[in-house]
Amino acid sequence: MTDATIEPSLQTAVFGGGCFWCLEAVFREVEGVRSVVSGYCGGHVEAPTYRQVCSGGTGHAEVVKIEFDPAEVDYRKLLDVFFLIHDPTTRDRQGNDVGPQYRSVIFAQDEDQLHTALAVIEELGEQRVFPKAIVTQVERAARFWPAEEDHQRYYENNSDLPYCQYVVAPKVAKYRARYPVRWKR
């Protein structure tokens, strides 16, 4: 068997930073990311629906589950992108999206991710990157529930809709401007 036929050892990251459509659109562009699935994490309802999560009563956050090749992009770089494209200083809201389902949260998949996430948050705070304190929650991995099919690849399939043009597209543009050579073309 040659090296070219060996499947790389992929890792998983799970982030919530407001509407999952925004996160998914950006992370799909990151070199080394193999898949991004929009879904729900951190709640107490089995197999929640979008409508249930949007009610704010299930405890879930809208999140993305990212499968990535650590030989191409490390977890720290994914955290850098995560903090670039959302406001981690607002509790339970991103822009006009308000409620606990839009909270800034990292679901660490192992101890290394947990320590890395906490260290990055501490560094960003010490460097005063944001004008207010970071309120991003860091939790241990929780059950991930994929969102309904119409929420997958939402920006790709609906880029002409006003929400996508005014909310999602600027986040994609911000990522591309910061990392001009690290996005899939």
Side-chain angles (χ1 to χ4, degrees):
M1 181 179 284
T2 67
D3 286 343
T5 61
I6 297 173
E7 179 65 28
S9 177
L10 298 181
Q11 293 182 9
T12 301
V14 177
F15 302 137
C19 177
F20 47 33
W21 300 336
C22 296
L23 297 174
E24 181 194 44
V26 172
F27 281 107
R28 283 195 174 286
E29 297 215 347
V30 176
E31 288 280 348
V33 168
R34 297 294 184 258
S35 72
V36 184
V37 177
S38 291
Y40 318 109
C41 201
H44 57 271
V45 172
E46 294 285 312
T49 65
Y50 182 71
R51 184 175 298 254
Q52 288 173 315
V53 172
C54 283
S55 76
T58 69
H60 291 88
E62 288 191 15
V63 299
V64 289
K65 179 179 178 182
I66 303 162
E67 298 292 329
F68 65 100
D69 182 348
E72 293 180 44
V73 61
D74 63 20
Y75 184 70
R76 170 68 189 243
K77 181 59 71 184
L78 295 178
L79 286 170
D80 291 345
V81 172
F82 173 67
F83 284 109
L84 172 71
I85 62 172
H86 87 292
D87 180 355
T89 69
T90 55
R91 189 170 310 282
D92 294 343
R93 91 173 295 149
Q94 287 296 303
N96 291 328
D97 293 330
V98 179
Q101 68 272 26
Y102 300 116
R103 68 188 179 271
S104 177
V105 61
I106 297 166
F107 290 97
Q109 304 300 299
D110 58 31
E111 291 299 311
D112 286 340
Q113 285 188 6
L114 181 76
H115 295 300
T116 301
L118 292 171
V120 166
I121 290 170
E122 184 176 339
E123 289 170 22
L124 292 172
E126 288 172 356
Q127 296 168 3
R128 298 183 192 272
V129 171
F130 298 98
K132 296 185 289 186
I134 294 172
V135 297
T136 302
Q137 299 169 352
V138 179
E139 301 179 17
R140 296 187 187 280
R143 175 91 187 254
F144 172 84
W145 300 95
E148 297 83 345
E149 190 58 37
D150 57 327
H151 297 290
Q152 308 303 329
R153 297 181 175 271
Y154 191 84
Y155 178 66
E156 183 179 315
N157 295 324
N158 299 284
S159 60
D160 58 329
L161 295 179
Y163 184 90
C164 290
Q165 291 176 358
Y166 295 108
V167 179
V168 184
K171 293 180 185 224
V172 172
K174 187 175 186 179
Y175 168 72
R176 288 179 177 179
R178 173 70 65 89
Y179 300 105
V181 296
R182 298 219 22 116
W183 53 279
K184 299 173 188 172
R185 296 175 197 265

